[in-house]
Structure formats: C-alpha cells, structure tokens
Amino acid sequence: MLDITLLIIAGVCCVLGLVGSFLPVLPGPLTSWVGLAIFYNTSFMQWDWVFLGITLVISTIVWLLDYVISAVGTKRFGGTRYGIIGTTIGLIVGILFLGPFGILIGPFFGAFLGEMMNPKQNVQNALKAALGSLIGFLSGVFIKFSVSVIFLIIFVVKVFENWNSI
C-alpha cells in the first residue's frame, strides 16, 4: 500500500513539474525530479544514485538557467529590472484572468507596463524590452517544459517496465 501511495505522489509531482514549467512559483524540473526520487524509493525500484544525481544536476542547471535566460532576453533588448518584475506579475495576472492564453499575453504586457514605469524608458524601447522579455520567458519555459516532459516519460516508462512488480 505504501508503494502505491508513493507511486501516486511521484506521478503527481511529475505532472506538477509540467505545470511548474509555466508558473514562476513552482520550479518545474525540480518538482519532476522530486517525483522521480520518490518513485525510486519504492520497493520495486532499484535505487540508482548515478541516475538521480545526473537528473538532479540537470534540474538544478535548468532552474538556474531559467533566471539567467529571462534576464538576458530582457537585457539584450534594452530592458531593465522593471521589465523583469513586470513579466512575472504579468504572467500571474495573465494566467488568472486569461487562462493558458495569458501565458503569452501576460508576460509581454507585464514587461511593457513595467518598462513604462521606468522614467528612463519611452514607448518604443519599452516595446522592444517587452519583446525581449517575452522571448526570454518563452525560451525558459521551453527548456523547463522539455526537461519535465522527459522526466515524466522516464517515470511512465519505468512504471510500465515494473508493472508486474507493482
């Protein structure tokens, strides 16, 4: 019974990792990795330090890169900290009011409005920074989502490989 509970919790973590790829409050790949680590704690799985170590390193690098990619995207297009903060707020507001469609619109308008709050920015520069922020955000989401999908696939494959033991 404990193994089934751990299996369910691991699966939920892997799926939450996908969701966390889009939400800034939940570290997607790290959440998926926690699911894998829980899964490897079941009696029917062989503990694999090398596999879990490599996937932890990948998760951590992707988590750190997400912040770097967003900042670089914004800075490269002339953005400031105002735009980075606006992107995050815009994402949250966009998802709350527009659902999945808000994932694209929210960060762009959030970055634009954030840059417009900067007294040193004009509309043209704010639009350019907002575009950079959106590109950086989407790049980070793509990388996080890809890693989380790979972890979910690994989880599903391992469940099916060990199905008779479960």
Side-chain angles (χ1 to χ4, degrees):
M1 188 64 175
L2 177 62
D3 282 341
I4 299 299
T5 303
L6 290 174
L7 180 67
I8 292 169
I9 292 170
V12 168
C13 285
C14 285
V15 171
L16 278 176
L18 294 175
V19 174
S21 299
F22 297 96
L23 300 177
V25 295
L26 188 63
L30 285 173
T31 305
S32 292
W33 181 84
V34 167
L36 290 177
I38 291 170
F39 180 62
Y40 272 82
N41 273 304
T42 58
S43 64
F44 50 84
M45 285 301 296
Q46 207 54 29
W47 189 256
D48 187 348
W49 288 103
V50 174
F51 171 76
L52 289 172
I54 290 170
T55 52
L56 176 60
V57 168
I58 291 169
S59 299
T60 305
I61 289 171
V62 168
W63 177 67
L64 293 171
L65 272 178
D66 182 45
Y67 293 103
V68 172
I69 290 170
S70 294
V72 167
T74 303
K75 294 270 186 205
R76 188 163 180 89
F77 284 77
T80 64
R81 184 178 172 150
Y82 290 90
I84 295 170
I85 293 169
T87 300
T88 304
I89 294 171
L91 172 65
I92 294 167
V93 171
I95 288 174
L96 289 176
F97 292 104
L98 301 173
F101 192 61
I103 291 172
L104 293 175
I105 293 175
F108 179 81
F109 282 110
F112 175 74
L113 293 174
E115 290 296 341
M116 289 306 296
M117 296 180 87
N118 184 351
K120 299 177 183 176
Q121 288 284 35
N122 60 36
V123 174
Q124 183 178 2
N125 289 343
L127 281 171
K128 184 178 174 186
L131 178 63
S133 179
L134 179 63
I135 291 170
F137 168 75
L138 291 177
S139 299
V141 165
F142 176 75
I143 293 168
K144 291 186 299 185
F145 187 74
S146 297
V147 170
S148 294
V149 165
I150 291 168
F151 287 178
L152 179 62
I153 290 170
I154 291 169
F155 171 77
V156 169
V157 167
K158 291 293 184 181
V159 166
F160 281 113
E161 284 178 357
N162 294 285
W163 189 253
N164 292 332
S165 302
I166 298 174

